[in-house]
Amino acid sequence: MISVRNISKIFNAGQPGEFTALQRITLNLQMHETTVLKGPSGSGKTTLLGLVGCMARPTTGRILLNGREITSLPERFLTDIRRSTFGFIFQQLNLIKGVSALENVMIPAYSTGEKFSLLRRRALEKLDMFDLGKRVDAKVECLSGGEAQRVAIARALINNPAIIIADEPTAHLDSKLSHEFIGIMKVLKAGGSTIILASHDPIVYDSDLADRVVEMRDGQIVSEEHCP
Amino acid sequence: MVSVIEHHQHILDFTISSLLRRKGKNGALLLVYTLIVFILASLLFFTNALKREATLVLNEAPEIIVQRTLTGRYQTIPIAWGERIRKINGVMSVRPRLWGYQYDSVFQANYTLTVPAENPPESGSIDIGSGISRMRSAFPGDIIAFVGHDGLSRSFTIRNILDSESQLLTSDLILLSEDDYRDFAGIPLDQATDLTLRVRNPGEYITIAEKIVQMYPETRPILRSEIQRTYDAVFGWRSGLVMVIFSAAALAFFIFAWDKATGLSAEERREIGILKAVGWETSDIMMMKFWEGAVVSLTAFLAGTILAYIHVFFTSSALFAPVLKGWSTLYPAFRLTPFIDFAQVATLFFLIVVPYSVTTIIPSWRAATIDPDAVMR
Ligand SMILES: Nc1ncnc2c1ncn2[C@@H]1O[C@H](COP(=O)(O)OP(=O)(O)OP(=O)(O)O)[C@@H](O)[C@H]1O
Ligand SMILES: [Mg+2]
């Protein structure tokens, strides 16, 4: 379980540009469930995902991951947790240009010192899963939008993370590719993954993928509904 | 343990593919770097090889040379003077020498002609240096002609091509018999070019020199230590020039390394952010940057050093020989004997590869402290 307890995030605290992005948020996310964060631009969705995903620390409050308090851990442990527990799919995809699809997928695993042949095989499996078997050696900038997104998903899955975090995954996709993305997430969900999505795209939050939709506004949760 | 190696290898692999994708930028970097190493290494090899040649010259030089001057200008010396000089206490032997220079206007080259003390060629035959052999395509058994002091041409059969440790010493050398040299240079039978003395006790050099001048006021005794000083002066001047070039290249290197150290492009920062976000540790990023510096500087070091070696020992330092050398006008120029002082190569390595590898880490240290969530915005 991911337990977010009373967290706030204040950017530039004490400085002229002080800004409270999250205000005393409390939220419990069950494992193996899919949660969608929705809300208007600037409501704090990305900020919350970053805190949950160990990318940054809250200003106040605590986050527990399966009962373990992560907010006060040193940087090195956070990196470890981030790498082994979370798979990120970024809005900007954030693939490394000039490098092949295969290598992009393997990058998050380099830090583990796993044997190259095993790692490569696993990366190829992930790419195959998304019909990218023929594109493994292509440089990422040569891929189509849909292919690039699938490479980004494959990269998020390379370390077999328990939790997948995706920020505005459909922002750059047309409806067809957006539905395709939902389809992939459903497969992962069926495989037991915990999924957290931030989106203001109805295709995402109205889909039957979501077990729970959390609506945010001005850094606060305004509603939380469970989908049947 | 295995996984540590594997870990490094992954990061090195990634570093290399990441270097390869910015071919233009990294290629230019490598080129500049290689060029600087090339200049520094060339200078190093060149001055070292020249110094070694000079040491060889000095090792063969006699303890005292006696010349005769007339109104301050050099003259041949009567051989009979040597008889009296030998009687001075402490002088072990006196040998009259016959040697001189000859300018060949056809080939625009200077030759050094010498009558060797040991194993001189028979009358009518000569030994020539490899430089002359190359220039005139003359080989043992061939007949070759030189114009003597009277403008008349004389033919000789080549006995040998001189092959020596020191190309500088023998490249432009012609060895011939005493009779031939006297005829060629027009030196009378009772005269010699100069006299060389063997003296056992270095403490006596100065007294002996004084006695010689008392005996024959027209003579000028030259001590080996004075020759040494002349060489040092010549090399001092040359190495001064070398230092100027050396420091210019070193300065260029530091400006270049500094620029590299302080500049980290927006794209590189973003990539470091991505790597951190997907789970790379700060230490992994530093390792990557270290490998990046190490790969670039090692490649440049190897390429630059090898090119410099070829430049100095196979093309006769074509690029700066005209500035530095100047004492042999023989064409094609002599080749320095390949000689490398590994201590100096190691110094160059530590001055170049190590600081560069380290400076590439500095900027990534700063970037590595960037919050990974920056890439989410
Ligand atoms: N590093 C930062 N410094 C200052 N303000 C920030 C920073 N990061 C985010 N903010 C502000 O916090 C607020 C919440 O941002 P956040 O990115 O979480 O919103 P969001 O819900 O993801 O919006 P969008 O739908 O546009 O992605 C925004 O007003 C943003 O300007
Ligand atoms: Mg956002």
Side-chain angles (χ1 to χ4, degrees):
Chain A
M1 188 170 81
I2 303 167
S3 180
V4 174
R5 296 191 185 165
N6 205 21
I7 60 168
S8 300
K9 180 72 178 177
I10 302 167
F11 289 112
N12 308 322
Q15 287 167 28
E18 183 173 299
F19 183 84
T20 305
L22 294 176
Q23 260 187 68
R24 273 180 256 120
I25 297 230
T26 296
L27 185 67
N28 285 318
L29 304 177
Q30 301 301 323
M31 295 309 260
H32 313 300
E33 271 191 12
T34 298
T35 305
V36 175
L37 304 176
K38 74 169 185 181
S41 189
S43 56
K45 304 182 296 289
T46 299
T47 307
L48 183 55
L49 286 185
L51 295 180
V52 170
C54 301
M55 293 268 196
R57 292 173 214 273
T59 311
T60 58
R62 302 194 300 159
I63 298 174
L64 282 77
L65 182 62
N66 291 327
R68 184 186 186 194
E69 141 95 80
I70 56 169
T71 4
S72 56
L73 289 177
E75 179 64 31
R76 210 159 53 78
F77 289 88
L78 284 183
T79 306
D80 240 22
I81 294 173
R82 190 158 72 232
R83 181 175 57 231
S84 56
T85 314
F86 294 96
F88 293 91
I89 302 163
F90 304 100
Q91 181 174 350
Q92 313 290 339
L93 296 189
N94 283 336
L95 295 172
I96 306 255
K97 287 202 190 68
V99 172
S100 71
L102 180 66
E103 235 180 317
N104 261 286
V105 172
M106 297 197 301
I107 283 169
Y110 282 163
S111 275
T112 60
E114 188 180 347
K115 217 167 168 327
F116 187 81
S117 53
L118 292 179
L119 177 53
R120 191 184 140 88
R121 190 171 342 129
R122 196 143 47 80
L124 287 172
E125 274 168 25
K126 304 287 179 205
L127 284 166
D128 261 344
M129 218 168 100
F130 301 121
D131 289 328
L132 287 164
K134 290 204 187 75
R135 305 293 277 153
V136 290
D137 291 323
K139 302 254 183 286
V140 288
E141 61 269 32
C142 304
L143 300 175
S144 71
E147 284 172 335
Q149 168 128 47
R150 291 188 327 255
V151 170
I153 299 171
R155 181 180 68 183
L157 300 179
I158 188 68
N159 288 332
N160 297 320
I163 305 164
I164 295 163
I165 289 183
D167 191 15
E168 308 281 2
T170 59
H172 296 306
L173 302 181
D174 60 23
S175 307
K176 181 175 164 283
L177 287 174
S178 300
H179 285 293
E180 193 181 302
F181 173 79
I182 300 290
I184 292 171
M185 288 299 122
K186 280 183 184 163
V187 173
L188 296 175
K189 182 185 170 188
S193 294
T194 308
I195 300 172
I196 310 171
L197 300 166
S199 183
H200 45 208
D201 179 354
I203 296 181
V204 175
Y205 59 76
D206 288 343
S207 71
D208 54 358
L209 170 69
D211 296 308
R212 178 208 304 249
V213 175
V214 176
E215 190 177 351
M216 298 179 65
R217 188 174 290 272
D218 301 328
Q220 288 178 310
I221 294 177
V222 291
S223 76
E224 203 180 330
E225 55 185 271
H226 286 263
C227 311
Chain B
M1 191 58 217
V2 173
S3 82
V4 170
I5 295 170
E6 204 75 38
H7 185 179
H8 270 265
Q9 201 189 325
H10 289 329
I11 289 179
L12 181 58
D13 280 350
F14 178 74
T15 306
I16 290 170
S17 51
S18 134
L19 280 172
L20 285 179
R21 72 209 151 102
R22 283 189 277 262
K23 281 200 194 71
K25 181 180 167 247
N26 290 310
L29 194 85
L30 200 62
L31 204 73
V32 174
Y33 201 166
T34 305
L35 189 72
I36 292 171
V37 176
F38 169 76
I39 293 172
L40 292 177
S42 289
L43 285 172
L44 208 66
F45 291 158
F46 187 75
T47 47
N48 260 353
L50 276 189
K51 277 207 182 107
R52 186 162 162 279
E53 301 272 353
T55 313
L56 287 174
V57 173
L58 278 177
N59 286 346
E60 281 169 25
E63 283 94 24
I64 300 178
I65 297 171
V66 181
Q67 286 182 347
R68 178 188 174 200
T69 57
L70 186 66
T71 64
R73 294 177 60 90
Y74 164 81
Q75 262 231 319
T76 52
I77 188 165
I79 291 173
W81 293 12
E83 309 290 321
R84 274 191 69 196
I85 290 173
R86 183 168 25 235
K87 303 217 169 71
I88 297 172
N89 275 340
V91 177
M92 286 162 60
S93 68
V94 176
R95 188 175 85 80
R97 288 197 308 186
L98 286 164
W99 64 275
Y101 302 114
Q102 174 76 14
Y103 180 67
D104 183 334
S105 55
V106 178
F107 288 92
Q108 303 193 328
N110 265 309
Y111 307 134
T112 304
L113 290 87
T114 302
V115 177
E118 283 157 29
N119 188 21
E122 287 165 29
S123 189
S125 61
I126 54 173
D127 294 345
I128 58 173
S130 51
I132 304 175
S133 166
R134 264 204 302 276
M135 180 179 70
R136 302 200 36 174
S137 343
F139 302 97
D142 292 358
I143 290 175
I144 189 169
F146 297 100
V147 177
H149 73 286
D150 49 9
L152 299 175
S153 173
R154 289 158 177 83
S155 299
F156 301 96
T157 310
I158 298 169
R159 183 180 71 164
N160 275 323
I161 307 296
L162 299 167
D163 193 23
S164 152
E165 266 187 288
S166 167
Q167 288 268 341
L168 190 58
L169 286 180
T170 60
S171 181
D172 65 345
L173 198 61
I174 298 173
L175 300 185
L176 66 181
S177 70
E178 179 173 346
D179 291 349
D180 285 346
Y181 185 67
R182 288 190 187 280
D183 171 53
F184 190 87
I187 299 179
L189 271 172
D190 61 340
Q191 304 278 315
T193 310
D194 53 25
L195 305 172
T196 61
L197 276 55
R198 287 278 158 200
V199 176
R200 185 176 291 136
N201 181 0
E204 289 182 298
Y205 289 174
I206 299 200
T207 352
I208 291 172
E210 279 167 4
K211 283 185 185 158
I212 294 170
V213 178
Q214 270 167 22
M215 212 178 266
Y216 298 110
E218 296 150 78
T219 56
R220 188 165 78 95
I222 304 162
L223 305 185
R224 180 151 72 180
S225 51
E226 288 179 85
I227 305 176
Q228 175 121 42
R229 230 173 294 141
T230 313
Y231 269 109
D232 282 350
V234 170
F235 273 107
W237 176 78
R238 281 170 207 278
S239 44
L241 201 69
V242 165
M243 276 317 292
V244 171
I245 304 178
F246 198 92
S247 15
L251 187 70
F253 169 71
F254 281 110
I255 291 173
F256 169 70
W258 181 249
D259 180 57
K260 180 84 177 92
T262 46
L264 196 62
S265 70
E267 198 193 337
E268 278 174 293
R269 294 175 72 89
R270 209 182 84 89
E271 279 185 14
I272 289 173
I274 295 174
L275 293 174
K276 288 204 78 175
V278 299
W280 279 39
E281 313 238 353
T282 300
S283 64
D284 294 331
I285 299 203
M286 313 265 285
M287 201 196 291
M288 175 178 91
K289 284 291 159 186
F290 170 77
W291 278 122
E292 204 175 291
V295 166
V296 169
S297 54
L298 263 178
T299 312
F301 178 77
L302 287 179
T305 312
I306 291 169
L307 285 176
Y309 187 89
I310 294 171
H311 170 225
V312 170
F313 299 116
F314 294 97
T315 74
S316 315
S317 315
L319 296 180
F320 43 71
V323 195
L324 288 163
K325 204 165 56 205
W327 62 50
S328 176
T329 48
L330 194 70
Y331 287 93
F334 68 86
R335 291 179 183 171
L336 287 166
T337 314
F339 168 71
I340 283 190
D341 180 350
F342 282 98
Q344 274 186 307
V345 175
T347 311
L348 192 66
F349 178 86
F350 281 106
L351 284 178
I352 295 250
V353 176
V354 175
Y356 185 78
S357 303
V358 172
T359 52
T360 49
I361 298 180
I362 300 169
S364 47
W365 173 270
R366 269 188 264 141
T369 55
I370 290 173
D371 278 338
D373 72 334
V375 297
M376 294 188 75
R377 276 168 234 141

